[in-house]
Amino acid sequence: MQSYSHSYFTYYFDLPFFFGTGIITKYEVFLRGPMESKNVSAFNSERRVFSSSGWLDPSVFPEGSPTKRSTLSPPESSTIIEGLQAFSAYQLRVVSINSAGNVTSEWTTAYTLEGVPEFVAPPVVSALSPTSLNVTWNSTEGHGIISRGQVTEYRVNLLTEQTTNPYAPPVVSQVLHRMGASSLPVHRVEGLKPYHVYNFTVTLCTKMGCITSLPSTGRTLPA
């Protein structure tokens, strides 16, 4: 059984799976992943993330009479695996070891929960006319964005300098357009001044938060 969080698992071993294997003296947990873009080849490498030694006799029940062997602590049967990527797939398996050898469970697939988005690339701004610019961006996961969750919204923002209010930021960001994740990553900005420089950013939002790109500059055509 697994419980999930943004960047770690709490992993519990299914102890009845190992009954009948003799005195269990050690558990080891192996992890592989994350699986990027549902590419199973990403699961080829694995690493040991947990090891615990002890003495566990599955044939001795807690209400039974204690023996010298059963007075020793059994190996731990749960562990927290940290340092994982949010909104990613991993596989885990546990190895049970006794004096005669070992037995390995099947791989179990688990997923971390959504996290705060990490990256969105700056947009590309190109001139269409003396009064309009085209703002496009790359919405491909792992290339133009690292969302760590389901994208809920994109925003196209216009950056303008202001000098009238000394208490306001020197650069003001104005949201020009909002669109859903399934929309084409492009927005035409109209009603601009001829041969004028404008700065734009793109904001990516998930249920966990938002992140804004670095600005990009574009100039409208001469009139």
Side-chain angles (χ1 to χ4, degrees), residues 67-214:
T67 64
K68 182 178 179 180
R69 292 177 174 178
S70 63
T71 57
L72 298 176
S73 298
E76 295 182 16
S77 59
S78 67
T79 183
I80 296 176
I81 304 171
E82 298 181 311
L84 306 178
Q85 292 183 6
F87 204 61
S88 300
Y90 290 86
Q91 286 191 325
L92 305 100
R93 68 177 179 179
V94 59
V95 178
S96 174
I97 302 171
N98 63 16
S99 58
N102 62 74
V103 62
T104 303
S105 72
E106 297 292 332
W107 286 104
T108 297
T109 302
Y111 301 83
T112 50
L113 296 179
E114 294 189 43
V116 177
E118 295 182 9
F119 174 76
V120 55
V124 176
V125 184
S126 57
L128 294 176
S129 73
T131 59
S132 62
L133 292 169
N134 210 40
V135 181
T136 62
W137 61 96
N138 188 343
S139 60
T140 304
E141 182 68 40
H143 298 276
I145 64 172
I146 301 177
S147 62
R148 299 300 180 214
Q150 294 287 347
V151 178
T152 58
E153 184 183 57
Y154 289 105
R155 303 171 190 164
V156 177
N157 314 296
L158 172 64
L159 303 183
T160 56
E161 296 184 0
Q162 69 85 27
T163 57
T164 58
N165 186 354
Y167 302 102
V171 177
V172 178
S173 177
Q174 174 190 358
V175 178
L176 297 181
H177 186 65
R178 300 172 183 263
M179 63 188 69
S182 59
S183 302
L184 292 176
V186 58
H187 176 61
R188 179 169 178 161
V189 184
E190 299 181 321
L192 305 176
K193 297 179 181 180
Y195 204 61
H196 196 80
V197 173
Y198 292 89
N199 294 304
F200 299 92
T201 61
V202 171
T203 298
L204 176 155
C205 293
T206 68
K207 292 187 296 184
M208 301 302 297
C210 298
I211 188 170
T212 299
S213 72
L214 293 174

